[in-house]
Amino acid sequence: MKQIPLNSYFPSMSQISLGCMGLGGSWGTAPFESKHVTQAHTAVDAALDCGINSFDHADIYTMGKAEQVFGEVLKARPELRENILLQSKCGIVFEDEKGPKRFDFSKHYILKSVDGILNRLNTEYIDIFLLHRPDPLMQADEVAEAFSILKASGKVKQFGVSNQNSHQMKLLQSALDMPLVANQIELNLTHLDFLEDVVLANHPQAKYLSFPSGTMEYCQLNNVQVQAWGSLCQGTLSGKSLTNQPHHIQQTADLVSKLAADYQTSAEAILLAFLMRHPAKIQPIIGTTNPLRIQACSQASQFELTREHWYSLFVTARGCELP
């Protein structure tokens, strides 16, 4: 197994993680059903059969039901817990009688959320706990207090963030006596600003980038695992209809298909291999519960794209030559 930064903390963690947002049924108030538990069992087994032992959750996924059905899997098969790595997130609060959709990194909310996560997952600890989206009202010292309590109690082993830039991470890290081990960001072949940030240095077009400059470098310098959510481009380049898609996206899908044939692998594996070729040793989060697609994704660990093929994908996907 190729090493990723998280292997410093969890030596057996797989290069790819299974995102569990698709578990638990609808995002409404209807309770989960037995078929959703069966789906969770099937997805877990498919992942483990492919060597994927890391599972990514969040307390809001299908309104908590994703964690609940996963917890049913662990209740039925408690022996699985020591053979897998669980990650979850908190911090997003949906609109309710108290106010609009908002973010909450207060000490009370973090501690309460982790207890809820543990209860739904039917486990005594989670391996990695992430703050889901940046809270403008975050008090770094207050977060640090919550993290220290969770660490000392054994409820959480390691901590990280999601969707944060390097400055936000520096601020939080300044208050912590433990490392932030992961940052989960949207990265894929149709969201290329993390690469444009590099190639457009000293270029006027850099002002149009949305990706926070320096974030990837900060993570590399501080041994922070970059995790990619949305890594499969929602199927746009691996089978979804391309009707009404821009010409360069259609060209990219054709190139992905060609490279999949050349490498004797799947289109999904090419998309993930593109991310995994990056020096930050990106860990893709794959958001699928389809066993065949999980297997297709797992093939990304079996090869590495050449520099030329990597750049062919990059240039084709950006729709014009490099500056």
Side-chain angles (χ1 to χ4, degrees), residues 30 58 65 83 113 150 162 171 191-193 247 296:
K65 290 178 288 187
N83 296 312
S113 296
L150 292 170
S162 181
L171 173 61
H191 284 74
L192 293 170
D193 277 4
H247 182 60

Side-chain angles (χ1 to χ4, degrees), residues 2 189 195 198-199 255 259 263 270 273-280 303-316 322:
K2 294 181 181 178
L189 200 49
L195 301 176
V198 178
V199 300
L255 179 56
L259 290 175
Y263 282 85
I270 295 296
F274 177 79
L275 295 173
M276 294 161 68
R277 183 69 166 78
H278 192 279
F303 67 97
E304 183 177 274
L305 291 171
T306 67
R307 175 178 290 266
E308 291 72 24
H309 287 154
W310 187 91
Y311 268 99
S312 293
L313 285 165
F314 178 28
V315 172
T316 305
L322 293 170

Side-chain angles (χ1 to χ4, degrees), residues 117 233 237 314:
I117 290 167
C233 313
L237 301 176
F314 178 28

Side-chain angles (χ1 to χ4, degrees), residues 4-7 9-10 13-23 44 52-61 64 66-68 70-71 74 80-81 83-91 113-114 116-118 120-133 147 155-163 169 179-186 223-231 281-287:
I4 57 176
L6 272 177
N7 291 144
Y9 308 97
F10 305 101
M13 175 170 277
S14 52
Q15 287 180 279
I16 297 169
S17 182
L18 184 69
C20 297
M21 187 170 66
L23 299 179
V44 169
I52 297 172
N53 65 356
S54 172
F55 299 88
D56 176 71
H57 288 272
D59 58 357
I60 63 167
Y61 290 168
E67 291 179 333
Q68 285 180 294
F70 202 98
L74 293 181
L80 284 180
R81 182 62 188 96
N83 296 312
I84 63 174
L85 293 152
L86 289 180
Q87 172 176 284
S88 195
K89 321 174 196 72
C90 91
S113 296
V114 170
I117 290 167
L118 296 176
R120 287 187 294 274
L121 285 174
N122 192 43
T123 185
E124 295 181 352
Y125 67 96
I126 51 177
D127 297 286
I128 308 174
F129 173 67
L130 308 182
L131 300 176
H132 207 155
R133 280 198 175 272
F147 282 10
K155 293 179 179 180
V156 177
K157 290 188 175 182
Q158 301 292 344
F159 299 85
V161 296
S162 181
N163 302 299
M169 295 183 73
L180 293 171
V181 303
N183 187 9
Q184 191 173 130
I185 318 168
E186 184 177 19
N223 201 40
V224 176
Q225 180 68 62
V226 176
Q227 299 180 331
W229 66 268
S231 59
K281 300 178 181 178
I282 296 168
Q283 181 186 39
I285 310 292
I286 58 170

Side-chain angles (χ1 to χ4, degrees), residues 42-54:
T42 301
V44 169
D45 286 337
L48 293 175
D49 287 345
C50 296
I52 297 172
N53 65 356
S54 172

